[in-house]
Amino acid sequence: MTNISKKPLLQDQQSKLFDELTTLLGKLSSTNIQSFLENLLGPEEQIMITKRFSAIVLLEKGYSIYQVAKSLHLSTSTLNNLNQKRLSGQYKNIVRWLKKDTNNVKNFLEMLETIMTVGGIMPLYGQQTKALRKML
């Protein structure tokens, strides 16, 4: 669990700092973004963000909460929370990103497909196959 200061910034200050951070990240190359995040985030935070993002993508692609929990080693309560936020539209930018036909999106989806098929050993099945194949 990430530690948060007991003395938070004012909401306005926090919002302005976050806006500036996102502007800065938007100007970095992909190599520099990776280096920036590796330097900024601890190993646990990197894992948490990666798993959370992957879970949202897989839920959007039609995988069940149970399948995602088993494959990404997340609790079903975490996935239920993520799924409720996804269904309410809180992750609309992620969904929009998934619909882009770029190599980065395809590479990410292929990696998730490999994870969901037990390292590529088990075949995909059902609706997940159709959804992932459409994206690839």
Side-chain angles (χ1 to χ4, degrees):
M1 179 62 95
T2 304
N3 293 326
I4 298 176
S5 172
K6 292 179 183 175
K7 299 177 185 178
L9 293 173
L10 297 174
Q11 184 61 42
D12 184 50
Q13 293 172 325
Q14 177 64 37
S15 293
K16 287 179 182 177
L17 281 173
F18 189 75
D19 288 345
E20 290 300 320
L21 176 63
T22 56
T23 300
L24 171 67
L25 286 172
K27 294 179 180 180
L28 295 175
S29 69
S30 60
T31 305
N32 288 336
I33 288 174
Q34 182 173 353
S35 177
F36 179 88
L37 291 174
E38 286 173 350
N39 288 316
L40 182 66
L41 303 174
E44 297 86 5
E45 293 164 319
Q46 291 175 26
I47 292 167
M48 178 189 67
I49 289 171
T50 303
K51 283 185 172 188
R52 184 177 294 177
F53 181 77
S54 298
I56 294 164
V57 170
L58 291 169
L59 291 168
E60 184 64 27
K61 293 290 137 217
Y63 283 93
S64 72
I65 287 172
Y66 175 76
Q67 289 170 307
V68 177
K70 189 173 178 182
S71 296
L72 296 180
H73 308 287
L74 290 168
S75 71
T76 55
S77 64
T78 295
L79 287 164
N80 278 320
N81 289 335
L82 290 174
N83 198 40
Q84 286 199 339
K85 289 178 182 179
R86 180 186 69 85
L87 293 172
S88 72
Q90 289 187 34
Y91 299 129
K92 64 184 176 212
N93 291 329
I94 294 172
V95 172
R96 196 173 331 157
W97 174 82
L98 285 173
K99 293 180 180 175
K100 291 184 178 179
D101 188 28
T102 66
N103 285 335
N104 290 338
V105 172
K106 288 179 183 179
N107 291 341
F108 191 80
L109 290 171
E110 285 174 1
M111 178 66 68
L112 287 177
E113 181 179 348
T114 300
I115 291 169
M116 294 305 290
T117 57
V118 191
I121 297 170
M122 304 275 299
L124 288 173
Y125 56 94
Q127 295 294 67
Q128 294 80 18
T129 303
K130 293 176 188 172
L132 279 172
R133 294 288 180 222
K134 275 184 186 177
M135 295 301 296
L136 299 173

